[in-house]
Amino acid sequence: MFPEGAKAVKRSVSMVIVFLFMSMCLAANAANSVNLFGLDLYRVLAGRQGNIFFSPFSISTALAMTYLGADGNTALQMKQVLHFENEGLHESFSELIASLNKPSEAYKLITANALWVQKNYPLLETFLRDIDSYYRAPVNTVDFVSDLDNSIRKVNDWIEEKTAGKIKNMLTKDDVDSLTRLILTNAIYFKGRWKIPFDEKLTKKDFFYVNETTKVEVDMMELTEKFEYYEDDQVQVLKLPYAESSLSMLIVLPRAGVELIELEKDLTKERIERWMKNLSETRVQVFLPRFKILERLSMNETLMKMGMVDAFTDRADFSKIDGTHMLKIQNVIHQAFVEVNEEGTEAAAATAVIMGIKMAMPVMPVIFRADRPFMFFIQEETSNTILFMGRLQKP
């Protein structure tokens, strides 16, 4: 028999365990939406040439805030494209945001949201309450009508501050105009050290083969250690963990003779999960180029191509934002930065949804030589969320 005090403690501990479990389940729903949307978007972007880098988390979060105000067919299309679930969606994002923003001395991972509203433009109290409750997004008053330059500067300054100076001057006069009434922004910043850093003394000039006829000289890093690793006849998959965290980079390198485009066509959540499940500790000699990518995406056409059409037209229904049918999305702008070197990784991204009124283990190490185009993902493993993803086509 337990004394009454011990029973109370046991009940309290049980309640905490249940609460934590429910929080993890909630966050997992948002993480699943983020990952599925990210993979869909990657497949669309993969059809063009060059490097790819973006944050599915940032784009999904900014559009989830926008989705709070959507209704009718507009909401249905957003739900389908973004893989949103009806039950507990915004609670799920709230839990995910809270879990990612836990402070750590080993790495920096910060995400932030904000609203930028035309002065004297009325928004529904229910929308403002939910934006604050679920997304912790403060409301900032600006004047797109009479002071456009200064309004754009305020948004850009916020983005630059929240991304540690990596995303600068994201919005321009081509993105925002005097018809703009509301901008919803998300920013995410990550800086982490490798659990096992590369030795700069081993970094040497080498070639990266963009394709069969083109090669470029790069600074190729080298490291031989035990890592989680998987291979089959099409890919080599390597997980590089960051220090003292549940964060890691997953690199998917096509076998020599296998085109990256072949893997991209069949890039699914199930395939990534299969790779992850089959990782095993193996001694690997890693060759990885230093690289840096800065990418800016205007996403209107891409999102419409994916099925989110009405939100950008006069058919848009965002009546849950302001009580009218006057708002539509003018632009969705996304910018992302990543730098990978011997010490670790620094990555940042920001998304702005701009809304306006309608008018119109072997003896010898396995060789992992990333000297050809590859995909990579930066993930938070506790919530199983893809924070950033991309393709290095040409360093």
Side-chain angles (χ1 to χ4, degrees), residues 84-354:
F84 286 161
E85 297 184 14
N86 283 333
E87 292 300 319
L89 172 72
H90 302 293
E91 292 88 348
S92 180
F93 267 95
S94 181
E95 290 294 337
L96 179 58
I97 290 166
S99 69
L100 295 177
N101 278 323
K102 289 179 180 176
S104 170
E105 295 182 2
Y107 63 91
K108 290 183 180 178
L109 178 57
I110 301 168
T111 179
N113 302 310
L115 261 64
W116 310 85
V117 185
Q118 169 67 31
K119 71 174 184 179
N120 300 323
Y121 189 80
L123 302 183
L124 294 178
E125 285 299 323
T126 51
F127 176 75
L128 292 172
R129 180 198 65 210
D130 289 344
I131 278 286
D132 177 65
S133 175
Y134 298 129
Y135 296 96
R136 302 167 182 83
V139 178
N140 304 276
T141 300
V142 287
D143 190 351
F144 300 114
V145 177
S146 303
D147 195 4
L148 183 60
D149 288 344
N150 194 44
S151 299
I152 293 173
R153 181 188 58 78
K154 287 181 180 179
V155 179
N156 283 338
D157 286 351
W158 181 89
I159 291 171
E160 184 174 346
E161 177 193 351
K162 298 302 180 183
T163 60
K166 297 304 175 184
I167 308 294
K168 298 180 179 180
N169 301 317
M170 190 177 88
L171 300 183
T172 71
K173 282 187 176 180
D174 291 332
D175 307 315
V176 187
D177 59 30
S178 61
L179 297 178
T180 301
R181 292 296 177 266
L182 170 67
I183 299 179
L184 304 96
T185 52
N186 168 270
I188 180 171
Y189 175 77
F190 166 68
K191 187 173 185 179
R193 296 176 290 106
W194 299 123
K195 184 176 181 180
I196 306 173
F198 291 79
D199 186 346
E200 288 189 34
K201 295 176 183 177
L202 297 179
T203 300
K204 297 181 176 64
K205 294 293 182 182
D206 205 341
F207 287 110
F208 184 96
Y209 298 88
V210 177
N211 51 46
E212 291 182 356
T213 59
T214 306
K215 64 181 180 181
V216 294
E217 191 174 59
V218 297
D219 292 314
M220 188 69 79
M221 304 183 294
E222 180 184 345
L223 174 64
T224 302
E225 266 294 347
K226 288 183 178 179
F227 293 106
E228 291 192 60
Y229 172 83
Y230 166 76
E231 66 176 44
D232 58 29
D233 61 350
Q234 286 195 308
V235 295
Q236 291 177 278
V237 181
L238 177 70
K239 186 170 86 169
L240 296 178
Y242 295 101
E244 301 177 51
S245 73
S246 59
L247 294 151
S248 64
M249 177 181 285
L250 190 74
I251 304 175
V252 181
L253 179 68
R255 287 286 195 182
V258 177
E259 295 292 331
L260 181 58
I261 191 172
E262 295 178 35
L263 298 178
E264 291 173 332
K265 288 177 181 177
D266 191 30
L267 184 61
T268 62
K269 177 173 173 281
E270 291 72 25
R271 193 172 192 189
I272 294 174
E273 289 174 349
R274 186 166 67 249
W275 288 333
M276 293 290 293
K277 183 179 179 181
N278 288 295
L279 291 170
S280 61
E281 191 175 85
T282 307
R283 186 171 171 80
V284 185
Q285 185 177 12
V286 181
F287 295 89
L288 183 69
R290 287 183 195 159
F291 65 91
K292 186 187 296 187
I293 300 173
L294 178 63
E295 172 122 38
R296 186 182 190 274
L297 299 170
S298 179
M299 300 194 60
N300 295 22
E301 289 186 12
T302 301
L303 290 168
M304 292 178 77
K305 182 178 179 180
M306 294 173 71
M308 195 177 124
V309 179
D310 285 10
F312 298 94
T313 72
D314 286 349
R315 297 191 300 274
D317 182 353
F318 290 103
S319 54
K320 291 183 178 179
I321 293 179
D322 63 352
T324 77
H325 288 76
M326 289 297 293
L327 287 176
K328 68 177 180 180
I329 298 178
Q330 295 176 302
N331 287 295
V332 177
I333 305 298
H334 181 71
Q335 191 162 330
F337 164 89
V338 63
E339 181 174 9
V340 173
N341 56 32
E342 290 86 352
E343 182 181 350
T345 302
E346 187 172 23
T351 306
V353 180
I354 302 161

Side-chain angles (χ1 to χ4, degrees), residues 72-82 307-311:
N73 202 48
T74 301
L76 179 62
Q77 290 177 0
M78 294 183 72
K79 175 188 173 185
Q80 291 172 340
V81 169
L82 296 160
M308 195 177 124
V309 179
D310 285 10

